[in-house]
Amino acid sequence: MRILKRLRSAVMAMAVVTGTLAGVVTGAPDSHAVMVADGTPPASGPFRGMVMVKKTASVGDDQAVTVSCPPGQVPISGGAFATVGQPLYSNMVALVESMPAQNSQGAYGWTASARSGPKPLTVTVHAVCIYAPAGYEVAEQYHFTIDRNAPLVTTCPTGKVAFGGGGTVYGGTRNLNQSYPGPAGSANPNQWIVSGYDVHAEQLRVDGYAICADPIAGLTTTRYTHTTSDDVAGGVLQCATDKKVVGGGAAVTGYDDTLVTSRPLTAAESGGRDGWQVQATGNNTPHGVDLYVTCY
């Protein structure tokens, strides 16, 4: 196991045991266009046509970047990462939003935004897209007021499971610090949990979303927990060999920790297996990080 220490300008190959954390270093994205990121989509089954798309843009604070799924498809999960093109430390970059993009016709992609001290700020947003599975719907909660670092739990309708989810944190100097499937550690999660932190407020408003559908045999969700005193905490939690990443999430537990990256990572990008990549920073150490990956 190798722990992620610094944000650099290349992607390192990984060779680790399934369910352990691998170090990965990721630099500025290679494209500012929407693209299919990896692989041959399954020809049949519940994840027929599954593709991963992404979009990168240089933006200002709180400016959303949105990627759309191919026509006829819907997002089952998504994520984002933010960078300012230099090594990370403390709370210099923070995700503030990562969630399904929706319009009057329903969910059609993924959207994310961030804030940073240094500029330019670059945000890359990812969506995992498929043809809508049985029972597909997005459960949501708007503008709930919660205490700083307290969870907002969005639950799927009875009998359905959560494939992905996300949220938005409102306020001034705020961070998204938790976005993950729940209950924590469940192999068949039916909730999505989000939380945030605002430097100048004891309470803040949060939106929460859970992407739900009927259970699918062979879908697995794995959790990995670690603590580190490194400036940047996180890594990649990998799927088993020949399995595809469907979703994932993360929770950081330091008082003012923030998520910088929480996104799907393909085998083509990692040089190993599909997985879920997480990066987090904070002013205080140690950092506690929970990583989640859902695979099929």
Side-chain angles (χ1 to χ4, degrees):
M1 182 177 73
R2 293 178 294 160
I3 300 300
L4 175 66
K5 291 187 177 179
R6 291 285 184 181
L7 194 71
R8 298 190 183 119
S9 59
V11 175
M12 296 174 59
M14 294 172 292
V16 296
V17 177
T18 303
T20 62
L21 190 63
V24 65
V25 278
T26 303
D30 55 6
S31 173
H32 287 252
V34 178
M35 61 176 291
V36 176
D38 182 49
T40 301
S44 62
F47 293 98
R48 177 177 61 89
M50 185 172 73
V51 294
M52 194 181 302
V53 295
K54 71 177 182 180
K55 184 177 182 180
T56 298
S58 294
V59 293
D61 287 350
D62 305 312
Q63 183 179 348
V65 179
T66 302
V67 64
S68 298
C69 289
Q73 294 194 348
V74 296
I76 52 168
S77 73
F81 75 90
T83 178
V84 290
Q86 59 181 278
L88 290 172
Y89 61 89
S90 66
N91 279 332
M92 63 187 294
V93 186
L95 290 176
V96 297
E97 174 183 79
S98 180
M99 65 181 192
Q102 301 186 86
N103 57 24
S104 60
Q105 304 302 310
Y108 67 89
W110 207 262
T111 190
S113 60
R115 63 173 184 83
S116 68
K119 299 294 188 289
L121 170 64
T122 300
V123 174
T124 299
V125 60
H126 301 253
V128 181
C129 306
I130 62 171
Y131 296 104
Y136 180 89
E137 64 179 291
V138 179
E140 51 198 33
Q141 299 189 83
Y142 294 123
H143 292 182
F144 267 68
T145 299
I146 61 173
D147 291 336
R148 177 193 292 171
N149 293 329
L152 174 66
V153 180
T154 304
T155 302
C156 292
T158 301
K160 298 187 179 183
V161 297
F163 287 75
T168 302
V169 179
Y170 298 93
T173 310
R174 81 279 191 203
N175 309 327
L176 180 67
N177 58 20
Q178 296 185 11
S179 182
Y180 66 96
S186 173
N188 297 289
N190 67 342
Q191 302 171 339
W192 200 266
I193 300 167
V194 295
S195 182
Y197 171 88
D198 190 329
V199 173
H200 303 297
E202 293 296 326
Q203 293 186 320
L204 64 163
R205 289 186 298 121
V206 178
D207 296 343
Y209 302 84
I211 299 176
C212 311
D214 293 346
I216 293 177
L219 196 70
T220 61
T221 297
T222 303
R223 176 191 184 194
Y224 187 95
T225 299
H226 86 97
T227 301
T228 179
S229 295
D230 292 335
D231 290 339
V232 181
V236 175
L237 187 57
Q238 293 185 322
C239 296
T241 303
D242 298 327
K243 298 293 185 179
K244 290 288 188 181
V245 60
V246 173
V252 289
T253 57
Y255 178 74
D256 66 347
D257 282 353
T258 180
L259 290 173
V260 177
T261 301
S262 182
R263 61 106 170 187
L265 188 75
T266 67
E269 294 175 287
S270 70
R273 304 169 186 163
D274 277 16
W276 195 266
Q277 182 191 7
V278 175
Q279 294 174 311
T281 68
N283 289 317
N284 301 301
T285 58
H287 308 291
V289 186
D290 291 344
L291 298 93
Y292 297 80
V293 65
T294 300
C295 308
Y296 179 77

